[in-house]
C-alpha cells in the first residue's frame, strides 16, 4: 500500500471524487512521513545510526539517497500539498457538518490549521526533489520565538502557545482512548476481521503523537517562563528527551509513530469521508 498505489487509481469524474482523491493521497503521504520518522527513531533507540533521531524534515531527507529519490520526494511534496488542500476544503465546505456556531467554526479552523502545518514540509520536499538541496529552517522556530519574546507580554504568548500544544497532545490521547475514531474504522470498508487491528494501530499512533506534542508544548512553556528562545524544541528534541529516559521509552514511542503511519496508509485505502 504505497503512495504510488493511491496515485494510480482512475482519474475522478466528479468534484467529490476529486476531493476524495486529494484526501487519500494526502493520508498516504502523511503516513509515509510518520513511518519514516518512527523508523529512524526506532533505529536510534536500538543503537543504530549513532543514536541520531530525526524530525519530519530530516526523515523526508533520507529519501534523497534512495534510488529514484527525487521522484519519491516529488510524490511526498504533491501528497502533502493534496493533504493541505483537502483540509482547507474540509474547513470551507464543512464536510464534517460541524456547523457555523462558535464550536463548529473553531473545529473547522482547526482542520485548516492541521493541514497548513505541513506547508513548510511540502515545500522542503519539493525543493529537495527539484534542486537536491533545501534550507531546513531548523532555527526558524527559535528565531520566531525570540521575536515574540521581545513583544510586550511575549513570554505569556509563548507560554499560551505551549499550553495550546499540550492541549492538542492531550486531545490526541483523548482520541486514542475515548473510542471516538473507532466509528471511522467501523464505518469504513476495512474487512471486519482486520478492523480491531487497525483500531489498535490508531490507538498506539494517537498515543505516541500525544506524547510528542505534549513534550514540544512543554518546551514552549519553558521558553516563555525562562524568556529564552533556545529552550524551544521540535520533534527531534522531544526524541532526545525520551532517549534520556532510556532506549525502551524512545523505542515504544517510535513504534507508536510507525503505527500511526500505518494507520494513515489504511485511511488512504479505506477513507471515511462525508463528501
Amino acid at each position: 500500500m504505497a503512495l504510488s498505489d493511491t496515485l494510480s487509481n482512475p482519474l475522478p469524474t466528479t468534484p467529490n471524487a476529486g476531493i476524495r482523491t486529494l484526501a487519500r493521497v494526502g493520508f498516504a503521504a502523511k503516513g509515509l512521513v510518520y513511518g519514516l520518522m518512527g523508523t529512524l527513531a526506532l533505529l536510534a533507540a536500538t543503537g543504530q545510526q549513532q543514536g541520531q533521531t530525526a524530525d519530519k524534515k530530516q526523515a523526508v531527507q533520507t529519501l534523497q539517497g534512495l534510488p529514484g529519490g527525487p521522484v519519491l520526494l516529488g510524490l511526498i511534496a504533491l501528497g502533502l500539498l493534496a493533504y493541505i488542500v483537502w483540509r482547507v476544503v474540509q474547513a470551507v465546505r464543512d464536510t464534517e457538518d460541524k456547523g457555523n456556531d462558535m464550536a463548529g467554526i473553531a473545529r473547522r479552523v482547526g482542520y485548516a490549521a492541521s493541514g497548513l502545518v505541513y506547508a513548510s514540509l511540502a515545500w522542503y520536499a519539493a525543493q529537495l526533489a527539484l534542486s537536491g538541496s533545501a534550507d531546513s529552517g531548523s532555527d526558524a522556530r527559535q528565531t520566531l520565538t525570540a521575536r515574540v519574546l521581545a513583544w510586550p507580554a511575549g513570554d505569556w504568548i509563548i507560554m499560551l502557545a505551549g499550553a495550546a500544544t499540550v492541549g492538542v497532545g492531550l486531545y490526541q490521547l483523548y482520541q486514542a482512548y475515548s473510542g471516538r475514531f473507532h466509528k471511522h474504522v467501523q464505518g469504513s470498508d476495512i474487512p471486519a476481521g482486520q478492523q480491531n487491528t487497525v483500531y489498535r494501530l490508531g490507538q498506539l499512533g494517537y498515543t505516541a503523537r500525544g506524547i510528542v506534542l505534549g513534550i514540544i508544548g512543554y518546551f514552549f512553556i519553558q521558553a516563555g517562563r525562562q524568556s529564552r528562545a533556545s529552550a524551544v524544541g521540535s520533534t527531534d528534541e522531544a526524541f532526545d528527551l525520551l532517549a534520556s529516559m532510556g532506549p525502551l521509552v524512545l523505542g515504544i514511542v517510535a513504534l507508536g509513530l510507525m503505527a500511526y503511519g500505518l494507520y494513515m496508509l489504511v485511511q488512504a485505502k479505506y477513507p471515511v469521508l462525508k463528501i
Side-chain angles (χ1 to χ4, degrees):
M1 187 179 358
L3 179 60
S4 57
D5 296 331
T6 305
L7 291 170
S8 65
N9 286 342
L11 291 174
T13 56
T14 68
N16 281 356
I19 294 170
R20 288 177 65 86
T21 299
L22 286 174
R24 295 180 66 188
V25 172
F27 289 147
K30 187 178 175 183
L32 288 174
V33 170
Y34 271 93
L36 280 170
M37 189 165 57
T39 299
L40 293 172
L42 183 62
L43 290 173
T46 54
Q48 307 298 314
Q49 60 175 25
Q50 291 79 49
Q52 296 295 311
T53 53
D55 60 16
K56 292 185 184 71
K57 288 184 178 178
Q58 291 165 335
V60 166
Q61 191 176 26
T62 61
L63 296 174
Q64 198 172 20
L66 299 178
V71 175
L72 292 173
L73 287 164
L75 291 175
I76 289 289
L78 290 172
L80 292 174
L81 178 60
Y83 183 76
I84 294 166
V85 174
W86 150 242
R87 281 305 218 178
V88 172
V89 169
Q90 195 178 29
V92 173
R93 291 184 53 176
D94 192 17
T95 61
E96 300 297 313
D97 299 322
K98 297 302 178 183
N100 294 313
D101 59 9
M102 288 298 293
I105 290 173
R107 291 294 299 276
R108 290 164 65 182
V109 169
Y111 291 145
S114 72
L116 292 173
V117 296
Y118 289 92
S120 65
L121 182 60
W123 175 241
Y124 180 72
Q127 286 181 301
L128 287 177
L130 294 172
S131 66
S133 63
D135 181 7
S136 66
S138 57
D139 295 329
R141 184 181 284 102
Q142 291 187 6
T143 300
L144 178 60
T145 301
R147 288 177 181 172
V148 174
L149 286 172
W151 296 352
D155 52 349
W156 284 101
I157 295 173
I158 294 300
M159 284 192 285
L160 284 173
T165 305
V166 171
V168 174
L170 291 174
Y171 182 72
Q172 298 294 304
L173 297 176
Y174 174 71
Q175 285 275 85
Y177 298 102
S178 67
R180 285 175 63 90
F181 77 94
H182 198 200
K183 63 183 178 182
H184 296 302
V185 176
Q186 292 178 322
S188 70
D189 294 327
I190 299 171
Q194 299 175 19
Q195 287 187 0
N196 188 60
T197 299
V198 172
Y199 177 59
R200 296 304 177 196
L201 283 174
Q203 276 193 314
L204 290 171
Y206 280 120
T207 300
R209 287 191 81 209
I211 291 170
V212 172
L213 285 169
I215 293 173
I216 293 173
Y218 168 78
F219 289 153
F220 272 97
I221 292 172
Q222 291 305 305
R225 287 183 66 248
Q226 301 169 17
S227 293
R228 185 166 60 90
S230 60
V232 300
S234 64
T235 306
D236 200 11
E237 285 77 23
F239 285 153
D240 290 342
L241 179 61
L242 291 167
S244 71
M245 302 176 188
L248 180 61
V249 176
L250 177 59
I252 290 172
V253 174
L255 287 171
L257 293 176
M258 292 171 67
Y260 185 76
L262 288 172
Y263 177 67
M264 285 291 101
L265 291 176
V266 173
Q267 284 275 77
K269 186 171 183 178
Y270 303 107
V272 179
L273 305 170
K274 295 181 180 180
I275 54 176

